[in-house]
């Protein structure tokens, strides 16, 4: 059998028609390859929502490739290939190629698995640069090399200057690099008004078939699927972008950090899945937001706040992910050693904030940034959950989770397992923060302002317990030393009552 030229792999989060794979594709000599493999949902946990999203988006992308007459080798769940390794070796047994090509995966584990298969079959593999991102190959590495301590703010400014985004020559539009001070509003007692329901996408025939396949072949995944409403094609992704820019971007800044019971989306974009699967490029999302400002459709604080998330945080965490690669999963700067409480898998808890935030994840695979950082993440940090256990939960349960973005956010920003690479301090707070930013505490049996006694808010009790047990390290941090002083200003009786309540909670989680 004559050798073909390139076997081009397209992974589930690489649904990018502009990818380098297509540049010199020759249908006579090359093949495209995609695979649905069970280990990516079972050995490495993935919820129903996340699995259906990935597989449905893959099948939509494959349909388009077939319409465009690309020769495609596609393994479905029905083919029962357990891993990328197995699916790829089965293809290579059948056809021979000069070389495998694949854009850099979003997970170093997957990259290693594919590399291992290529080594074992003795075929060359070429890893192509991922052109989806704003920063070019090597750009972050060069920036990092010049710094003692990386900070997102300076990376973001460099990208804004070099790409001329929201800039007037070398000055930021509006004379400020950020408007964070304007962007921390809560909804007050009345709650959010003017909410416009985002465009939700009903399951089409392809998605319905995926749901049936997942139920047949992967029956034990966590979460619900009846509520599935995510964009799964390029067309739907563009519609979701337009809908956000027209209806919600203008309030994004003001209420970026606010939370409200049974309002999962508020003014957030819901675009992370489209971006992470590469149905949308960050450049086109940023351009659309910047245009809304130029056209007077959204104020600068909203547009800058939104662009900062994508141009700043998204590009920054990706750079850090690849800078530390496999090291991330070994990190545990705070020596956290507890198991993940069961409530993360079933939402069964009296703590209203956690109940609603986890329920939303089970229903939709979604929580906005502050729910992830200051409710589910904060509780795990205060409880002292092993970093790897909370990482596995985030990776499994959120529809937009891919290792390169989930790992630095969870292990770095949220759990401080990295000892200060992503951020300069752990994000710790008591229940008073959640009370200020949401209405959760109003219907909770606990009191956010109480640290001890039967009604004490577990967040508040555990916050002080955290300050106490990490006081040596916290007192060295200029921004947290005050919290240690506040702990020492409490009377011995008060300290003892808090410690006793914390010990009670560790034995009897509400
Ligand atoms: C513990 C934890 C885990 C997280 N895990 C993920 C994850 O697996 N996948 C993921 O895409 N984001 C993750 N984030 C970041 C952020 O919470 C989500 O990107 C955001 O909530 C997605 O919802 P949205 O599209 O409505 O975002 P919006 O609030 O509308 O923000 C706009 C876009 O900005 C980007 N963005 C915002 N914050 C971040 C950030 N910190 N890092 C990278 N990009 C950001 C996203 O692409 C997002 O779509 C995590 C944050 C925390 C604290
Ligand atoms: S009182 Fe505490 S546990 Fe209850 S909702 Fe508020 S922060 Fe959460």
């Amino acid at each position: 059998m004559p050798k073909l030229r390139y076997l081009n792999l397209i992974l589930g989060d690489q649904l990018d028609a502009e990818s380098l794979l297509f540049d010199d594709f020759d249908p006579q000599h090359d093949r495209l390859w995609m695979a649905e493999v069970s280990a990516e949902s079972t050995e490495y946990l993935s919820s129903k929502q996340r699995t259906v999203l990935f597989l449905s988006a893959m099948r939509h992308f494959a349909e388009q490739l077939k319409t465009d007459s690309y020769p495609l080798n596609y393994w479905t769940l029905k083919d029962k290939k357990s891993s990328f390794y197995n699916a790829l070796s089965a293809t290579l047994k059948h056809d021979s190629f000069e070389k495998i090509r694949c854009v850099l995966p979003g997970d170093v584990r997957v990259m290693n698995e594919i590399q291992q298969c290529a080594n074992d079959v003795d075929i060359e593999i070429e890893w192509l640069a991922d052109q989806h991102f704003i920063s070019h190959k090597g750009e972050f590495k060069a920036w990092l090399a010049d710094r003692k301590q990386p900070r997102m703010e300076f990376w973001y400014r460099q990208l804004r200057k070099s790409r001329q985004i929201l800039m007037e020559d070398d000055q930021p539009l509006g004379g400020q690099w950020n408007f964070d001070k304007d962007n921390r509003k809560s909804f007050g007692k009345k709650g959010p008004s003017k909410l416009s329901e985002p465009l939700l996408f009903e399951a089409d025939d392809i998605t319905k078939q995926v749901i049936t396949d997942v139920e047949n072949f992967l029956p034990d995944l966590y979460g619900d699927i009846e509520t599935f409403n995510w964009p799964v094609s390029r067309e739907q992704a563009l519609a979701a972008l337009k809908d956000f820019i027209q209806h919600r971007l203008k309030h994004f800044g003001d209420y970026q950090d606010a939370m409200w019971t049974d309002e999962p989306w508020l003014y957030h974009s819901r675009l992370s899945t489209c971006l992470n699967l590469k149905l949308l490029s960050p450049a086109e999302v940023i351009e659309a937001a910047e245009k809304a400002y130029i056209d007077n459709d959204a104020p600068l604080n909203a547009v800058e706040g939104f662009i900062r998330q994508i141009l700043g945080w998204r590009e920054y965490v990706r750079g850090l992910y690849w800078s530390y690669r496999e090291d991330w999963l070994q990190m545990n700067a705070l020596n956290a050693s507890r198991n993940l409480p069961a409530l993360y898998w079933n939402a069964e808890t009296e703590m209203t904030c956690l109940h609603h935030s986890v329920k939303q994840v089970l229903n939709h695979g979604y929580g906005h940034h502050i729910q992830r950082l200051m409710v589910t993440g904060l509780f795990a940090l205060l409880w002292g959950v092993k970093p790897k256990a909370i990482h596995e939960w985030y990776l499994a349960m959120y529809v937009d989770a891919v290792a390169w973005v989930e790992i630095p956010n969870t292990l770095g920003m949220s759990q401080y397992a990295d000892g200060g690479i992503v951020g300069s301090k752990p994000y710790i707070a008591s229940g008073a923060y959640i009370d200020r930013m949401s209405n959760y505490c109003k219907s909770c049996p606990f009191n956010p302002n109480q640290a001890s006694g039967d009604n004490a808010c577990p967040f508040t009790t555990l916050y002080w317990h955290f300050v106490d047990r990490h006081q040596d390290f916290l007192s060295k941090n200029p921004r947290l030393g005050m919290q240690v002083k506040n702990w020492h200003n409490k009377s011995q009786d008060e300290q003892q009552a808090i410690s006793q309540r914390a010990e009670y909670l560790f034995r009897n989680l509400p």
Side-chain angles (χ1 to χ4, degrees):
M1 199 194 329
K3 256 193 186 177
L4 290 156
R5 192 175 62 150
Y6 300 145
L7 179 64
N8 292 292
L9 315 187
I10 300 175
L11 303 175
D13 62 341
Q14 298 182 336
L15 311 180
D16 179 7
E18 304 293 315
S19 120
L20 278 181
L21 287 179
F22 294 101
D23 271 9
D24 57 350
F25 189 87
D26 175 356
Q28 292 283 322
H29 301 109
D30 302 335
R31 295 288 174 271
L32 296 174
W33 182 94
M34 298 174 78
E36 301 175 356
V37 298
S38 54
E40 294 302 311
S41 297
T42 51
E43 199 175 331
Y44 311 101
L45 288 186
S46 174
S47 69
K48 278 189 195 154
Q49 289 262 343
R50 180 175 178 270
T51 303
V52 168
L53 170 71
F54 272 67
L55 300 189
S56 174
M58 285 169 70
R59 290 189 194 181
H60 280 85
F61 192 72
E63 279 295 303
Q64 188 58 49
L65 293 174
K66 282 184 209 150
T67 308
D68 296 341
S69 305
Y70 280 102
L72 169 69
N73 181 336
Y74 192 107
W75 297 100
T76 70
L77 281 182
K78 284 188 192 135
D79 299 315
K80 300 208 169 158
K81 295 293 169 222
S82 60
S83 63
F84 288 123
Y85 188 107
N86 290 345
L88 188 54
S89 35
T91 302
L92 294 170
K93 245 183 221 156
H94 195 264
D95 289 313
S96 61
F97 292 86
E98 285 169 19
K99 199 198 251 191
I100 300 175
R101 301 196 313 171
C102 185
V103 169
L104 189 74
D107 188 337
V108 77
R109 171 187 63 75
V110 172
M111 183 180 174
N112 291 342
E113 184 179 329
I114 293 172
Q115 181 70 58
Q116 186 62 52
C117 179
N119 295 349
D120 293 350
V121 177
D122 197 18
I123 180 171
E124 187 188 344
I125 182 159
E126 182 183 0
W127 298 106
L128 303 177
D130 191 343
Q131 295 202 312
H132 157 90
F133 291 90
I134 308 273
S135 40
H136 304 142
K137 193 174 174 208
E139 195 175 353
F140 186 84
K141 202 173 166 192
W143 175 81
L144 194 62
D146 283 348
R147 270 171 181 76
K148 258 201 196 141
Q149 227 185 7
R151 284 296 160 251
M152 189 284 287
E153 182 64 32
F154 298 104
W155 169 242
Y156 167 65
R157 289 183 192 183
Q158 170 164 315
L159 288 182
R160 266 181 74 180
K161 280 190 216 158
S162 59
R163 286 11 180 225
Q164 283 293 295
I165 295 169
L166 295 180
M167 295 293 294
E168 227 163 13
D169 302 324
D170 62 344
Q171 290 305 308
L173 276 184
Q176 275 167 245
W177 288 103
N178 83 61
F179 296 84
D180 276 358
K181 273 199 209 110
D182 302 331
N183 287 0
R184 300 216 168 107
K185 295 195 179 87
S186 65
F187 290 118
K189 278 191 187 140
K190 281 195 189 149
S193 58
K194 299 178 269 173
L195 269 186
S196 117
E197 174 87 339
L199 198 53
L200 303 175
F201 299 88
E202 256 182 45
D204 62 7
D205 288 347
I206 294 182
T207 304
K208 283 182 189 152
Q209 184 57 53
V210 172
I211 293 174
T212 307
D213 290 353
V214 166
E215 272 160 4
N216 286 338
F217 297 105
L218 302 166
D220 299 324
L221 308 186
Y222 284 98
D224 307 323
I225 199 59
E226 301 71 36
T227 45
F228 186 88
N229 57 34
W230 295 100
V232 288
S233 64
R234 166 86 180 146
E235 208 183 8
Q236 292 185 344
L238 286 170
L241 171 61
K242 193 170 168 200
D243 172 66
F244 168 67
I245 300 283
Q246 278 183 352
H247 302 296
R248 300 193 304 287
L249 172 62
K250 50 179 164 291
H251 298 298
F252 176 88
D254 287 353
Y255 300 114
Q256 201 174 323
D257 288 2
M259 301 175 276
W260 203 259
T261 309
D262 295 331
E263 291 293 355
W265 324 117
L266 296 165
Y267 299 107
H268 291 271
S269 69
R270 288 176 33 107
L271 291 176
S272 52
T273 55
C274 303
L275 283 161
N276 296 354
L277 301 186
K278 306 200 172 83
L279 299 174
L280 291 177
S281 77
E284 71 189 327
V285 175
I286 290 171
E287 202 179 308
E290 197 174 14
K291 185 171 180 310
Y293 171 66
I294 293 166
D295 294 348
N296 263 330
D297 289 334
L300 190 54
N301 72 308
V303 172
E304 189 284 315
F306 179 70
I307 289 180
R308 158 184 299 268
Q309 308 309 316
I310 297 175
L311 186 67
W313 281 111
R314 191 166 185 270
E315 297 281 322
Y316 178 68
V317 297
R318 177 166 186 268
L320 289 178
Y321 176 73
W322 283 107
S323 305
Y324 293 89
R325 296 169 61 117
E326 287 93 340
D327 293 350
W328 279 106
L329 295 186
Q330 313 306 323
M331 294 178 186
N332 189 359
L334 298 177
N335 292 321
S337 59
R338 286 179 197 278
N339 293 330
L340 185 70
L343 70 89
Y344 279 80
W345 302 104
N346 56 26
E348 285 173 18
T349 170
E350 289 168 275
M351 292 178 275
T352 310
C353 55
L354 264 175
H355 169 73
H356 283 289
S357 301
V358 174
K359 190 98 189 77
Q360 198 181 293
V361 175
L362 295 171
N363 287 339
H364 300 293
Y366 181 85
H368 73 63
H369 188 68
I370 293 301
Q371 289 172 307
R372 296 186 206 203
L373 186 64
M374 300 308 286
V375 182
T376 46
L378 175 60
F379 192 78
L381 174 68
L382 299 179
W383 189 255
V385 175
K386 290 175 208 151
K388 209 159 163 244
I390 185 71
H391 141 68
E392 282 167 357
W393 181 77
Y394 274 102
L395 188 61
M397 299 307 288
Y398 288 79
V399 277
D400 54 22
V402 185
W404 67 265
V405 55
E406 179 275 325
I407 287 180
N409 268 300
T410 304
L411 298 185
M413 188 186 305
S414 161
Q415 301 300 301
Y416 203 73
D418 62 352
I421 295 170
V422 174
S424 56
K425 63 177 183 64
Y427 281 90
I428 49 169
S430 70
Y433 173 84
I434 296 174
D435 190 27
R436 195 161 62 247
M437 298 312 296
S438 75
N439 66 339
Y440 293 137
C441 304
K442 304 286 172 286
S443 54
C444 184
F446 302 109
N447 181 344
N449 300 315
Q450 221 171 300
S452 60
D454 292 349
N455 295 332
C457 162
F459 280 80
T460 305
T461 308
L462 295 173
Y463 164 78
W464 288 117
H465 193 269
F466 183 96
V467 172
D468 182 23
R469 68 183 190 264
H470 294 295
Q471 53 178 293
D472 288 347
F473 140 76
L474 292 177
S475 51
K476 287 187 202 124
N477 186 306
R479 292 162 75 190
L480 292 175
M482 190 47 119
Q483 326 258 32
V484 178
K485 281 196 188 126
N486 289 341
W487 170 248
H488 287 294
N489 286 339
K490 290 185 186 296
S491 70
Q492 279 214 330
D493 284 354
E494 222 178 328
Q495 288 185 354
Q496 205 180 6
I498 293 172
S499 301
Q500 273 171 1
R501 178 69 184 167
E503 290 311 324
Y504 172 85
L505 289 175
F506 287 131
R507 291 190 308 274
N508 307 283
L509 179 63

